[in-house]
Amino acid sequence: MEQHSAPRVNVITMGCAKNLVDSERLAHMFRSVGIDVVFDADGFTGGDVVINTCGFIGDAKEESVEMILNAAAAKEAGGIGRIFVMGCLSERYRKELPEELPEVDGWYGKFDWPDIVKAFTAQTPCDSPGWERELSKAPHSAYVKIAEGCNRFCAYCAIPLFTGRYHSRPVAEIIDEVRALAARGTKDFNVIAQDLSDYGRDLTPGRKSLLATLVGEMAAVPGVEMIRLHYAYPADFPYDILPLMAENPKVCAYLDIALQHISDKVLDNMRRHIDGSATRELLARIRREVPGIHIRTTLMVGFPGEGEAEFEELCEFVREQRFERMGAFAYCEEDDTYAARKFEDSIPEEVKQARLDKLMAIQQEISLELNEAKVGRVMKAIIDSENDDYYLGRTEYDSPEVDPGVLVAKTRKLNPGDIVNVRITEAAPYDLYAEPVD
């Protein structure tokens, strides 16, 4: 086993960016007591391992279990030490998993994971704000998690079952975190929560959303250059965020809002608290008040009640709306959800897959057309990294990991974190090519 001068732990994150924030907070706690931390999901070479799991849908759960099994094999072969598991999957299956995976040395959930540090040392982590963390990637870009939990209880979703009710972080605490990140060189801030639309309603007597207040204060912090919003909910949407997007250059004209479907029948079965007409009105108002906005959405196919007519309605909706960013997935029944109790998952898997393929093919054509329309435009981009041929960057319309990027020609020296103007020279369905301009 490879030797290190200090105890070493590899923190592996599965699932969404909200989990990544927790992993980065755990890394800060480890380092505060002298334990070295790496973020290496591709290898098991020395030291102990912490796996932060996802429990959202079937595929994500399978990936988390597979990662645990890979770690167990490496442990048996002597390549690593102990294995600790935390996060959504272990929170949801606290009783079942230890019986099925005895190779794991410690199980922790969604909220008690700070106790992992106690398994390594008798020392108490340094007395610092709970939001302090070690960034796992280049410091110019970071996620900021502003809330935990969800109050929506959509029929298909198990997340409220293991995250609990919505809990907003105070505005002042988040601004302190943003100031600290900006002082370390973070320029690109991606605001995340299970439901941005509900932010602050649990903190105010009149249940008023504080999203616009928070984002406005973030934009005023010196060093902040880009702010993007992820996972708004269509019902009870906080419209006062739109003028901020339209008028403040630091608030990107970008919104991630999962819509799931457009058919009234399917939306009602999903318990989405909104119908198709209201969804269209919402999108029209967003585009009217924020010209040029890029909307990212997620859609679901194969939910109970989706016949051919409802699916064709969804396809026509995608053609009509021409989303700048769109992802989709097939319905997977989740234990203990309303849908699992009330509906039969009767649509064959091959039908779900065929619908998914068709929907994404429609979106691919739209994405190519929208990207081709950008050729010749000058856009602001932040540089993330480089390969042999290009600098890899993102425009204000591109979030890390989930969105396409812009490949910038190496006509002059650029560094990670640089924000530059680029002229779009070529387009592909999911990438742009550009060259830097003065």
Side-chain angles (χ1 to χ4, degrees):
M1 185 180 297
E2 185 180 355
Q3 297 299 311
H4 295 266
S5 59
R8 178 178 183 267
V9 60
N10 180 15
V11 179
I12 298 172
T13 305
M14 313 297 294
C16 69
K18 296 186 292 295
N19 273 6
L20 180 63
V21 171
D22 290 342
S23 293
E24 292 175 342
R25 289 176 58 202
L26 178 64
H28 173 75
M29 293 178 184
F30 275 130
R31 286 183 172 151
S32 74
V33 295
I35 296 175
D36 188 26
V37 178
V38 296
F39 298 94
D40 181 14
D42 297 322
F44 297 105
T45 54
D48 299 316
V49 172
V50 175
I51 301 173
N52 189 354
T53 58
C54 179
F56 177 42
I57 58 175
D59 288 347
K61 290 188 289 187
E62 289 177 10
E63 290 174 1
S64 291
V65 170
E66 183 178 358
M67 182 63 74
I68 297 171
L69 292 174
N70 290 341
K75 177 183 176 181
E76 184 177 359
I80 62 172
R82 296 170 294 176
I83 303 170
F84 298 88
V85 176
M86 61 180 277
C88 298
L89 185 71
S90 50
E91 179 71 32
R92 188 174 180 190
Y93 300 106
R94 292 294 285 258
K95 295 180 179 179
E96 298 88 343
L97 285 173
E99 297 177 1
E100 297 177 7
L101 296 164
E103 304 90 343
V104 174
D105 296 277
W107 294 92
Y108 301 84
K110 181 68 178 167
F111 304 103
D112 63 346
W113 52 262
D115 291 341
I116 294 176
V117 180
K118 297 178 183 177
F120 286 74
T121 176
Q123 297 182 65
T124 301
C126 66
D127 185 16
S128 61
W131 44 259
E132 284 276 16
R133 65 190 206 255
E134 299 288 332
L135 296 181
S136 56
K137 302 182 186 300
H140 64 265
S141 181
Y143 294 99
V144 178
K145 181 163 65 170
I146 66 172
E148 193 69 83
C150 185
N151 292 341
R152 303 293 182 171
F153 291 94
C154 299
Y156 52 82
C157 185
I159 288 175
L161 302 180
F162 53 85
T163 62
R165 291 282 185 171
Y166 199 90
H167 177 71
S168 303
R169 294 175 58 199
V171 171
E173 177 185 296
I174 297 170
I175 296 303
D176 285 343
E177 178 181 6
V178 171
R179 286 197 186 99
L181 287 167
R184 294 161 58 182
T186 305
K187 304 175 182 180
D188 181 57
F189 290 81
N190 297 281
V191 180
I192 54 173
Q194 192 61 39
D195 173 9
L196 289 184
S197 298
D198 250 3
Y199 174 71
R201 296 188 195 277
D202 56 327
L203 302 178
T204 58
R207 289 195 53 77
K208 174 178 168 28
S209 171
L210 295 179
L211 183 63
T213 299
L214 171 66
V215 174
E217 291 194 23
M218 286 180 63
V221 173
V224 173
E225 296 293 340
M226 292 180 170
I227 301 171
R228 293 183 203 83
L229 305 180
H230 300 78
Y231 322 129
Y233 197 88
D236 308 312
F237 182 81
Y239 285 105
D240 57 348
I241 193 66
L242 298 180
L244 200 58
M245 281 186 174
E247 297 164 9
N248 193 314
K250 295 185 177 182
V251 183
C252 298
Y254 175 101
L255 180 67
D256 191 333
I257 179 168
L259 299 173
Q260 306 300 358
H261 219 281
I262 194 61
S263 159
D264 287 349
K265 176 183 177 181
V266 178
L267 288 170
D268 185 56
N269 284 356
M270 287 181 170
R271 302 174 83 190
R272 289 289 288 172
H273 319 293
I274 194 170
D275 62 16
S277 175
T279 298
R280 285 185 166 91
E281 291 174 7
L282 168 67
L283 293 171
R285 180 170 174 180
I286 291 172
R287 293 196 184 279
R288 183 171 62 250
E289 294 194 23
V290 190
I293 190 171
H294 280 46
I295 296 176
R296 175 179 176 81
T297 195
T298 305
L299 302 174
M300 184 190 300
V301 301
F303 190 79
E306 183 192 70
E308 288 299 327
E310 288 77 20
F311 174 66
E312 287 304 321
E313 185 179 357
L314 182 63
C315 291
E316 186 55 35
F317 175 64
V318 171
R319 295 187 187 99
E320 159 203 315
Q321 291 294 327
R322 296 176 63 79
F323 293 108
E324 289 79 10
R325 308 279 184 260
M326 192 200 86
F329 62 101
Y331 170 66
C332 175
E333 184 176 275
E334 291 296 313
D335 300 337
D336 302 323
T337 59
Y338 181 89
R341 297 194 306 270
K342 298 294 184 180
F343 300 117
E344 180 183 359
D345 185 12
S346 59
I347 300 175
E349 292 302 317
E350 59 269 23
V351 173
K352 293 179 184 177
Q353 188 60 49
R355 291 178 181 177
L356 181 61
D357 292 344
K358 179 176 179 179
L359 197 67
M360 292 309 299
I362 295 170
Q363 179 61 27
Q364 183 172 0
E365 292 183 7
I366 294 169
S367 294
L368 177 59
E369 292 169 2
L370 293 176
N371 275 354
E372 287 177 337
K374 293 174 180 175
V375 174
R377 285 182 57 185
V378 173
M379 307 175 77
K380 182 171 66 174
I382 187 166
I383 303 301
D384 285 329
S385 60
E386 65 177 298
N387 60 24
D388 291 341
D389 302 314
Y390 297 98
Y391 294 110
L392 309 178
R394 292 174 290 111
T395 72
E396 69 171 299
Y397 309 118
D398 306 318
S399 280
E401 313 295 340
V402 297
D403 287 331
V406 54
L407 285 74
V408 181
K410 290 186 169 182
T411 58
R412 73 168 193 253
K413 178 62 177 175
L414 298 174
N415 298 301
D418 286 350
I419 296 178
V420 296
N421 288 326
V422 299
R423 178 176 288 107
I424 308 303
T425 58
E426 188 180 345
Y430 299 116
D431 284 305
L432 294 172
Y433 296 82
E435 58 186 14
V437 297
D438 294 334

